[in-house]
Each structure stands twice: as structure tokens, then as C-alpha cells.
Amino acid sequence: MIEKLHAAALGKTIVIAGLGGLGGYAAAELARYSLDSLILVDADTFEPSNMDRQLFCSTCTIGKSKALSTAQALAKFSSAKIVPIEENLSFANGSLLKDADLLLDCTDSVKSKLELEALATFYGIPMVHAAINNLYGQCTVIFPNDNVLEKVYGKKERSTLPTLSFVPAMLASIQVAEALKTLAGMPTLRHKLLILDTINNDLRILNIKV
Amino acid sequence: MIKVEFFGLYRLDLGVAEMTVEAASVKEVFEIIEKQYGKYTAEELKNSIVLVNGINFLKLKKSRTKLQKGDTVFIMSPASGG
């Protein structure tokens, strides 16, 4: 099984949209596989308030580009080509997905998540979605034309509460596992929504009707 | 009986994972939760993500969605942070 997952990553290109809590941890894990390229997309810079949970936020990177800082850190140990893009992924620069095999949604708003889902459908690639709020989070795998996120969120923007470091770390690990399983053609969370409650150690998988 | 399960903030805040209620609509479920726990009003619960047998109630008749014996209602708070 381990060999199969390693092989699935070999030579692939993965795009990570959003390099905050989820994206930082996910990038650190994915950079350890034999990918061809890992494309890191985020227009933001690190702020002091990110220090509590964002892996690559440090006194040295505050005020600096998240994409660039993360890429510099990953280049120290990754064999993949690390490509930082200091923009947010949207329809305007969606061609970044042209040669990608998979997209990781690590963004922080319903609007951007819905846009990424539409973009992944347009470019015909799967997307692994994750989101966190307070002390819980969710993850699912979306294939082109599944249109899952509107079924989950509706179209309404949702406010979020502060979180702690272990929540994005745990959800990002689940997200990476789902990404590798998706590339390997194994069963995933497609059509299902995983919800992890870190306080009660409760992990539930809900069926989402499509 | 209708099985109601809570996820996210509702589960953390109410301290309850699930309950079983007699209700003919989602609106009645909201009213029962308001009466029993007092932390969220039926009006506030309309803003939650509600899945009736796995389908978002926004795709059905929202809080007017009718319920039948054996239906399952998930009441979730949204996670959209990164």
C-alpha cells in the first residue's frame, strides 16, 4: 500500500491554493513525495497573528510572502520543483491548473472555495477540500462536475472563529492522505464529508447526496 | 421519531451529539432545540447547515421541509477557515 501511494505521487503536479494553517502543513507533507512540481498559490504575507498555527510563519518571515517563504523552506528538503505564485488562485489565473493533476483547497472563504471547485471542474482535475473552524474541521474529495460545496455551504459566506495549531495540522494530514489516495485511484472521501471534532475525538463521515 | 445529530460548534456548544425528537418539519426540530437547550433560537438555527437525509435543506423547502418517521437531520456549523 505504501509503495502504491508513493508511486501515485511520482511525477505528478499538485497545486495548493492557500498557504495559511492548512496549506502550510499540507505543503510540508506533500514536499516529501517524488512529485514533479508543487505549485504554491497565495497572495498574502505572514502576519504576527499567524504565528500560533501557521507552520512557516516565524520572526524571519513576518511581512514576507507566504508563497515565497513556504517555497524557500520546502526547497531545503524537497526533490520536487517548488513553484511559488504570489497571487490568489481564481478564474483570472486559472491556467495555473492546466498541467496539474490535483488541487488542494486550503483557502479560507466560501467564495474562494466555490470558485476553486468550479476551476477544478473546468480543468478536469480532482480537488481535495478541507476547512477548519474553531476546534473542528472537514474534508472531502471532489471530482469534476460533482458540485459538492454548494450542497454543503449554500452560497452564503460563513464567519469563522479562532482555531489552534493542532486543528489545521490534523486536517491537512487527512487532506494529504486523500490526495495520494485520489492519485492512486483508491477509495476516498468522494461524496462523503469527514468531520473531525478534536475536543471529543469524534470523527464522523457523512454521506452527501449528489 | 426523527434522529437529529449535531456537528461542529453546535456539538461543542450544546455538549450533545444527538437527540431523538417527534417533529413534522425542520422548523419544529429548531423549536424543540430552542426549548430544550435555550442556547440557540429557532431563528438562529436557520443559518446553520442542515442536511435532511444527506440533502442540504436549502435544496428542499428550507425550514418548511417536512419530516417523516426515520428521517435523519444533521445540524452543522460551517467550517470555512484555512
Side-chain angles (χ1 to χ4, degrees):
Chain A
M1 191 76 81
I2 285 177
E3 290 79 3
K4 189 176 179 181
L5 292 167
H6 270 297
L10 184 66
K12 298 292 195 309
T13 293
I14 294 182
V15 176
I16 301 181
L19 293 162
L22 288 169
Y25 285 107
E29 292 192 19
L30 282 171
R32 295 168 199 277
Y33 294 86
S34 302
L35 299 171
D36 176 82
S37 306
L38 188 56
I39 302 177
L40 309 174
V41 193
D42 196 321
D44 283 351
T45 53
F46 282 117
E47 297 172 18
S49 62
N50 300 151
M51 192 89 92
D52 64 347
R53 68 195 183 286
Q54 299 193 11
L55 188 58
F56 296 110
C57 180
S58 69
T59 49
C60 300
T61 61
I62 284 173
K64 294 184 179 166
S65 154
K66 289 185 179 182
L68 216 52
S69 304
T70 304
Q72 283 166 353
L74 300 187
K76 291 176 186 161
F77 63 87
S78 181
S79 62
K81 195 191 313 164
I82 309 291
V83 184
I85 307 287
E86 296 174 74
E87 299 170 10
N88 289 327
L89 186 58
S90 69
F91 282 107
N93 59 2
S95 59
L96 286 169
L97 297 181
K98 190 163 53 77
D99 298 318
D101 296 288
L102 185 136
L103 171 64
L104 243 66
D105 164 29
C106 300
T107 60
D108 61 0
S109 76
V110 173
K111 182 175 175 286
S112 60
K113 290 174 181 302
L114 292 173
E115 189 166 353
L116 293 189
E117 185 181 28
L119 267 175
T121 286
F122 183 81
Y123 285 96
I125 59 170
M127 174 171 111
V128 184
H129 152 88
I132 54 172
N133 187 24
N134 196 236
L135 298 169
Y136 66 95
Q138 65 191 39
C139 182
T140 188
V141 174
I142 304 168
F143 276 64
N145 297 307
D146 280 354
N147 299 320
V148 170
L149 293 184
E150 198 188 317
K151 294 183 180 77
V152 173
Y153 290 117
K155 287 180 176 168
K156 213 184 278 183
E157 196 54 64
R158 308 281 181 169
S159 59
T160 53
L161 294 170
T163 189
L164 293 175
S165 62
F166 52 84
V167 183
M170 290 165 92
L171 263 299
S173 291
I174 293 170
Q175 205 174 9
V176 168
E178 289 304 301
L180 296 176
K181 287 189 279 176
T182 300
L183 293 173
M186 292 165 62
T188 64
L189 288 169
R190 188 181 185 194
H191 299 161
K192 296 172 172 31
L193 184 70
L194 175 150
I195 299 182
L196 174 64
D197 168 351
T198 64
I199 290 304
N200 297 302
N201 288 321
D202 181 76
L203 187 147
R204 291 290 306 270
I205 296 172
L206 314 181
N207 286 315
I208 302 293
K209 289 212 171 139
V210 291
Chain B
M1 298 293 271
I2 310 295
K3 188 179 178 189
V4 180
E5 293 192 52
F6 298 101
F7 296 95
L9 282 185
Y10 296 106
R11 180 177 290 204
L12 294 173
D13 215 18
L14 298 175
V16 60
E18 61 181 70
M19 64 192 293
T20 308
V21 299
E22 291 276 8
S25 67
V26 171
K27 182 170 179 281
E28 283 186 29
V29 171
F30 290 165
E31 288 166 355
I32 291 166
I33 295 167
E34 178 180 353
K35 196 172 169 189
Q36 192 158 330
Y37 297 100
K39 283 199 167 184
Y40 297 97
T41 66
E43 200 57 33
E44 286 169 332
L45 288 165
K46 281 184 188 172
N47 292 320
S48 59
I49 293 171
V50 179
L51 303 183
V52 177
N53 301 324
I55 302 173
N56 193 314
F57 79 151
L58 298 175
K59 299 280 180 192
L60 303 170
K61 292 187 173 174
K62 300 183 183 174
S63 55
R64 296 194 315 279
T65 304
K66 299 285 181 206
L67 299 174
Q68 293 182 332
K69 187 179 168 189
D71 282 349
T72 302
V73 177
F74 294 150
I75 300 182
M76 304 154 55
S77 52
S80 60

